[in-house]
Amino acid sequence: MVAFVVLTVPLFTWAVYILLFSVLTAMAISSCLPLRQVFKRAFLIEVPLVLILIPLPFLNQTAPLKALDWWGITLHISWSELLRVGVLMLRSWLIIFSMVLFTLTTPAGELLTSLSDLHVPAVLVTVISLMWRYLALFVDDSQKMVAARELRSVPARRGKAGRFAQNIKSAGSILGSLFIQAYDQSERIYQAMQLRGFDGTLRSWKKEPLQNAQKLQMLALLMVGILFIMGAYGIDGK
Amino acid sequence: MENEQVAVIAVKDLHFAYADAAEILSGISFSIKAGEKVAIAGPNGAGKTTLLLNLTGLLPGSGQVTVNGMRLEKKNFPAIRQSVGLVFQSPDDQLFSSRVFEDVAYGLIYQGMGKEEIALRTQQALEEVGMASFEQAVPYHLSLGQKKRVAIATVLSMRPAVILFDEPTMGLDARAKKQFLQIARTLSQTVLVATHDMRLAAALCSRLLILDEGHLVYDGPLQSALQDTALLERHGLDRDW
Ligand SMILES: Nc1ncnc2c1ncn2[C@@H]1O[C@H](COP(=O)(O)OP(=O)(O)OP(=O)(O)O)[C@@H](O)[C@H]1O
Ligand SMILES: [Mg+2]
């Protein structure tokens, strides 16, 4: 839900961000979670995203704020781009923060049951729960990989620059394998669903099978689309 | 011909390759009779998982496969998938609902079964794997052993004639392994287990297939294979148990 709000608000509405942040923090505190740990987790997952976003200010050549001469390569930084990247980081971080929070507090199941109590259509609940499952796995996987990388990275002997380069490289590969892994897993989950009779329509225990199969699929696609936007909004202009 | 009548699974000259890659299964043939419990062993990457996926039609190999008397082709898929259950190597692939109950009921809902029947079968399947009290639990917060048992229940609830297990004991501790063995032994179904765990194979099965680099290199009594140290060693299997 938070992700939805974050994605739909215009880029520079600071008030909304502040509000969201305080709501999330309040939730974290009220559920007695160690705040520092929550923040730390959220930041760890953010790292690969930041690395994607960093080149952005350099790519836009209009209205350069400052020209940097660096080993013969001239880089232009534009203020507006810088600001935009900052906001994008904030947005993504808020989403990740909420994800981490929810996976830690585990109200997902209860949330979903309460949704169906609120007469939200069964399909919607199914789609959300699938998405939910997915995000949880994704967060889990990325945490494992970051941890595994941390364990393997040898204490720096190459100095700061070398370490930074190394970090970028491994973050890139972490991100890459994350997506491959997510894709492979979605393939296997789909296979498992097929084996149990999944035929493109969503059916649920609670309601009778729904007719309008096509509408449902569009809905599912929409949700998947949102997921993808979440992954790709670094590229998405404005 | 008569032989094919009793064979629950008959595979003849099965070939399969993933897109733009070398052949993973090169001419596999075997048949399995109703009620048999058969182990498929072989080193990592031998093609065991690929073979199991082929038997359910999830991967499209070439060759002749019949399951429960039906040719493996698209129009038979619904019926075949009702009679063959596959328990995936990783339970995370198999559990995707928000409640254990829904996951176990999933296949039944798609069979269009009535609610009482679904509730009954779900309950029974969970009891069979000793997870009856977890009906309302959230699947992805269970331990690996519990997840694996629920994954088995999702297949049992559909009462298939054949159950395929992919590495059922991998990652389990000794007690969970024993629990699995107990569950598997009481099954009246035809069972095909892909595993490296020769101890499990020996305790459960009397027949062994060894797969290596896409070829079936052994098909015979499990006990005599266990005596043949050279054979086991040649195919990356361990008799020390
Ligand atoms: N989706 C895929 N795309 C391409 N190649 C694949 C894919 N899945 C498996 N392979 C390849 O097919 C071969 C056989 O894999 P498979 O998973 O069937 O082996 P396995 O016998 O189950 O191994 P293990 O004991 O490690 O589970 C391997 O070489 C693997 O790299
Ligand atoms: Mg395998």
Side-chain angles (χ1 to χ4, degrees), chain A residues 184, chain B residues 18 21 24 42-51 89 166-167 196:
Chain A
D184 276 355
Chain B
Y18 288 100
I24 305 293
N44 290 124
K48 301 181 292 293
T49 302
T50 308
L51 175 61
Q89 180 163 347
D166 196 357
E167 307 282 0
H196 308 276

Side-chain angles (χ1 to χ4, degrees), chain B residues 76-139:
Chain B
N76 290 334
F77 280 176
I80 284 179
R81 285 170 186 173
Q82 251 178 52
S83 51
V84 181
L86 170 60
V87 180
F88 284 62
Q89 180 163 347
S90 157
D92 279 329
D93 298 335
Q94 199 148 5
L95 308 177
F96 43 75
S97 306
S98 49
R99 297 282 163 186
V100 165
F101 176 87
E102 281 163 44
D103 252 328
V104 179
Y106 190 89
L108 305 178
I109 294 172
Y110 275 88
Q111 285 179 16
M113 210 168 273
K115 280 198 176 183
E116 294 79 36
E117 177 87 15
I118 292 181
L120 185 76
R121 282 208 192 187
T122 304
Q123 176 97 45
Q124 274 179 1
L126 282 171
E127 261 164 29
E128 273 179 76
V129 297
M131 292 290 289
S133 55
F134 288 83
E135 218 173 58
Q136 290 307 315
V138 181

Side-chain angles (χ1 to χ4, degrees), chain A residues 106 132-133 185 188 196 201, chain B residues 93-95 103 110 141:
Chain A
T106 337
W132 190 257
R133 167 104 192 85
Q185 182 149 31
R188 289 195 302 269
R196 280 187 270 162
T201 62
Chain B
D93 298 335
Q94 199 148 5
L95 308 177
D103 252 328
Y110 275 88
H141 289 124

Side-chain angles (χ1 to χ4, degrees), chain B residues 113-176:
Chain B
M113 210 168 273
K115 280 198 176 183
E116 294 79 36
E117 177 87 15
I118 292 181
L120 185 76
R121 282 208 192 187
T122 304
Q123 176 97 45
Q124 274 179 1
L126 282 171
E127 261 164 29
E128 273 179 76
V129 297
M131 292 290 289
S133 55
F134 288 83
E135 218 173 58
Q136 290 307 315
V138 181
Y140 37 98
H141 289 124
L142 299 175
S143 78
L144 180 70
Q146 292 169 333
K147 278 186 194 169
K148 285 214 169 195
R149 281 190 274 160
V150 174
I152 295 172
T154 67
V155 168
L156 287 184
S157 68
M158 297 175 73
R159 305 204 176 141
V162 185
I163 304 184
L164 314 174
F165 290 100
D166 196 357
E167 307 282 0
T169 53
M170 207 173 77
L172 297 185
D173 65 25
R175 180 151 45 107

Side-chain angles (χ1 to χ4, degrees), chain A residues 94-104 132 135 139 230:
Chain A
L94 276 173
I95 294 172
I96 290 166
F97 184 30
S98 61
M99 270 160 57
V100 171
L101 201 60
F102 277 113
T103 46
L104 281 180
W132 190 257
L135 287 179
V139 172
M230 279 175 61

